[in-house]
Amino acid sequence: MHPGTLPSTPSPKRAPSDKWGIVMGSSHSEALLRNNVGEWNEAAPPKGDGPWNYQLNSAAMNAYWDERLVENGKYENFYTVGLRGVHDSGLEATERPRSRPASSKTQ
């Protein structure tokens, strides 16, 4: 979520953790153990992954998460599945820059 945090990728150091039953997890803004700040590049393909917008770029976002699930699949993990915007912001939508449910709007 922040530029100083590291991705939750497997490493040789993970084996003892797995042996001792330590479970990997991430915060609500790092869905499926991905750190979007250091791992997602919003530049247009082929240089980057494209926009962080599920309505416009779901195929690339699904592939991005699938990659981490394959990498960490042999370990015990706690997966967060909520979708957040970049840097824990609101999600972008195609119709408006920001979309909220009617019940959360302030009067």
Side-chain angles (χ1 to χ4, degrees):
M1 177 171 94
H2 301 291
T5 59
L6 300 173
S8 302
T9 55
S11 73
K13 295 179 182 180
R14 180 77 195 261
S17 300
D18 189 52
K19 178 181 173 185
W20 297 327
I22 297 172
V23 178
M24 176 72 87
S26 61
S27 75
H28 65 284
S29 60
E30 297 164 329
L32 299 173
L33 301 175
R34 295 304 306 236
N35 180 355
N36 302 335
V37 174
E39 297 185 278
W40 185 266
N41 181 343
E42 287 198 295
K47 293 183 179 184
D49 304 300
W52 184 257
N53 185 318
Y54 198 78
Q55 292 177 338
L56 299 176
N57 200 14
S58 62
M61 293 173 78
N62 287 335
Y64 169 75
W65 290 315
D66 286 346
E67 179 183 35
R68 184 53 41 86
L69 293 175
V70 168
E71 290 173 349
N72 281 327
K74 66 182 177 180
Y75 301 110
E76 190 172 357
N77 302 291
F78 177 80
Y79 293 107
T80 303
V81 295
L83 183 58
R84 296 290 300 151
V86 175
H87 300 292
D88 199 22
S89 63
L91 292 174
E92 292 182 27
T94 56
E95 297 178 52
R96 295 181 283 172
R98 192 170 185 177
S99 180
R100 293 186 190 172
S103 62
S104 69
K105 291 183 180 178
T106 58
Q107 296 182 9

